[in-house]
């Protein structure tokens, strides 16, 4: 699940999933199963079937 929608992927890490989805160079925040994952830890954050991933981009406004 990515942002609440089912997604089939061969990505094995959160980093590879972000790259697959076009977020390689984007400034984003990520969470895996409800826990924040810093950018530096995405490469080691392993994905398994049924994981819930959230990918958020910063918004400006006020």
């Amino acid at each position: 699940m990515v942002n609440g929608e089912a997604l089939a992927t061969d990505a094995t890490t959160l980093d590879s999933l972000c790259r697959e989805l076009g977020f390689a160079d984007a400034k984003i925040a990520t969470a895996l199963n409800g826990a924040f994952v810093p950018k530096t830890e995405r490469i080691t954050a392993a994905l398994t079937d049924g994981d819930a991933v959230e990918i958020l981009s910063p918004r400006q406004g006020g």
Side-chain angles (χ1 to χ4, degrees):
M1 299 288 288
V2 175
N3 294 345
E5 295 188 24
L7 175 75
T9 181
D10 290 327
T12 58
T13 65
L14 185 54
D15 181 69
S16 59
L17 177 64
C18 289
R19 290 179 183 283
E20 178 181 313
L21 296 175
F23 294 109
D25 297 322
K27 295 196 184 304
I28 56 172
T30 54
L32 179 58
N33 297 320
F36 173 72
V37 179
K39 181 179 181 177
T40 57
E41 295 179 20
R42 291 180 198 151
I43 199 162
T44 59
L47 298 178
T48 59
D49 286 344
D51 280 344
V53 174
E54 294 292 327
I55 301 174
L56 305 169
S57 58
R59 296 178 56 171
Q60 295 203 6

